[in-house]
């Protein structure tokens, strides 16, 4: 009987290990993680769910959102941006409360990456914003130090109760601290989804709108892959279903003068 129990326990342990490996292997699969929100055939899941390509033409852009909602976490996405003459286009990766897409004036806070298209030969501009109470006047812009169209790079949003940090290839580029004590709203109770989109904004995106989209270059395409949410997933009862993440570094992550710290 003891040998039988041991065999059964060993078999269960092996099955559990295999099950965990399957879950780990399927993490980041766009079929399982994301829903297409607009654009129809302009949004295509490729390579068995490993890649998701968004395209923009003169009729429409495209976008997707996470199936799950989260309350705090680290969100990583690899992107390869629109190559060549991408003036007028905007590629995004951000976190938002679901209903704010339709009613932005109700916004509490939306941390986002916006990649502003350029005319050929000019540097890509990354536009970061923390959209609060319907106002987007917290923009900061950077020129990327690499060609984001030549290869995939990792873009990360860390959101915890103390701050929001934007990262590129694990290098912090911006931090927004919780200043609720000074009357600045900060998201601490509303779960959010992850969103991404490609759309036309030639009224402002490139050189303040002076350079317009050249539709003879369409369709414009950006590709996403390796989405990972190390985050507290929230169910329909608004309670966390991922408490195992409570001890992860992102829960208290901050920056000092030299490096990331916890």
């Amino acid at each position: 009987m003891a040998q039988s129990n041991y065999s059964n326990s060993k078999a269960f342990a092996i099955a559990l290990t295999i099950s965990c490996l399957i879950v780990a292997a399927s993490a980041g699969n766009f079929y399982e993680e994301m829903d297409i929100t607009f654009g129809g055939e302009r949004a295509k899941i490729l390579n068995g769910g490993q890649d998701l390509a968004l395209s923009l033409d003169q009729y429409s852009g495209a976008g997707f959102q996470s199936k799950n909602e989260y309350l705090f976490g680290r969100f990583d996405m690899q992107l390869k941006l629109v190559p060549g003459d991408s003036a007028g286009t905007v590629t995004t990766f951000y976190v938002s409360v679901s209903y704010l897409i339709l009613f932005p004036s109700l916004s509490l806070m939306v941390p986002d990456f916006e990649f502003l298209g350029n005319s050929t030969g000019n540097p890509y501009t990354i536009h970061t914003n923390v959209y609060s109470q319907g106002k987007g006047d917290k923009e900061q812009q950077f020129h990327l130090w690499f060609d984001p169209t030549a290869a995939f790079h990792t873009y990360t949003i860390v959101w915890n109760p103390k701050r929001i940090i934007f990262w590129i290839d694990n290098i912090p580029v911006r931090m927004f601290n919780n200043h609720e004590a000074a009357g600045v709203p900060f998201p601490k109770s509303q779960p959010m989804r992850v969103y991404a989109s490609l759309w036309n904004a030639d009224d402002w995106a490139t050189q303040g709108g002076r350079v317009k989209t050249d539709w003879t270059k369409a369709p414009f395409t950006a590709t996403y892959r390796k989405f990972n949410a190390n985050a507290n997933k929230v169910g329909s009862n608004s309670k966390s279903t991922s408490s195992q993440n409570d001890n992860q570094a992102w829960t208290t992550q901050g920056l000092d003068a030299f490096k990331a710290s916890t």
Side-chain angles (χ1 to χ4, degrees):
M1 179 66 70
Q3 179 64 33
S4 176
N5 288 338
Y6 172 77
S7 298
N8 291 337
S9 298
K10 184 177 180 180
F12 176 77
I14 292 172
L16 182 60
T17 300
I18 292 173
S19 175
C20 290
L21 289 173
I22 291 172
V23 170
S26 65
N29 186 291
F30 284 108
Y31 283 118
E32 298 175 3
E33 298 282 351
M34 300 294 175
D35 288 322
I36 305 301
T37 53
F38 72 99
E41 291 299 315
R42 297 172 186 84
K44 295 181 179 179
I45 299 176
L46 307 169
N47 300 326
Q50 298 306 302
D51 298 338
L52 199 162
L54 297 181
S55 293
L56 165 70
D57 57 30
Q58 59 266 49
Y59 303 106
S60 178
F64 61 90
Q65 70 177 36
S66 63
K67 294 180 183 291
N68 296 311
E69 291 185 303
Y70 307 93
L71 185 61
F72 307 126
R74 176 184 174 119
F75 307 95
D76 299 279
M77 185 81 79
Q78 289 194 355
L79 279 79
K80 184 189 288 186
L81 298 180
V82 176
D85 186 347
S86 57
T89 70
V90 176
T91 306
T92 69
F93 165 50
Y94 61 102
V95 183
S96 174
V97 177
S98 301
Y99 60 76
L100 300 184
I101 305 304
L102 296 176
F103 305 103
S105 62
L106 301 178
S107 173
L108 184 62
M109 191 164 289
V110 180
D112 73 349
F113 279 115
E114 299 180 24
F115 305 91
L116 308 186
N118 58 15
S119 52
T120 302
N122 291 325
Y124 241 93
T125 298
I126 180 170
H127 179 101
T128 64
N129 199 1
V130 182
Y131 203 86
S132 176
Q133 298 289 45
K135 297 180 180 179
D137 56 356
K138 300 173 182 63
E139 297 95 339
Q140 289 184 10
Q141 292 188 349
F142 313 90
H143 281 159
L144 295 174
W145 56 94
F146 53 84
D147 181 357
T149 72
F152 285 93
H153 292 266
T154 302
Y155 303 90
T156 302
I157 296 172
V158 170
W159 165 41
N160 64 41
K162 296 182 178 180
R163 60 190 58 88
I164 294 167
I165 310 174
F166 297 84
W167 306 72
I168 301 175
D169 289 338
N170 235 18
I171 298 171
V173 296
R174 182 181 182 184
M175 181 168 68
F176 186 93
N177 286 316
N178 182 344
H179 292 298
E180 282 184 310
V184 180
F186 191 88
K188 291 174 60 178
S189 58
Q190 291 177 291
M192 300 193 193
R193 295 185 192 273
V194 175
Y195 291 86
S197 60
L198 174 59
W199 49 289
N200 179 50
D202 66 3
D203 57 332
W204 66 271
T206 306
Q207 297 182 28
R210 290 188 295 275
V211 181
K212 302 299 183 181
T213 304
D214 182 355
W215 293 113
T216 67
K217 303 292 196 303
F220 305 96
T221 301
T223 306
Y224 297 73
R225 74 177 189 185
K226 293 189 177 180
F227 169 68
N228 184 63
N230 184 0
N232 288 328
K233 189 186 301 182
V234 176
S236 58
N237 59 359
S238 297
K239 293 183 179 179
S240 172
T241 59
S242 301
S243 58
Q244 69 269 23
N245 289 311
D246 289 347
N247 294 321
Q248 297 294 328
W250 58 260
T251 61
T252 57
Q253 192 161 34
L255 302 176
D256 60 25
F258 303 100
K259 60 181 181 179
S261 62
T262 57

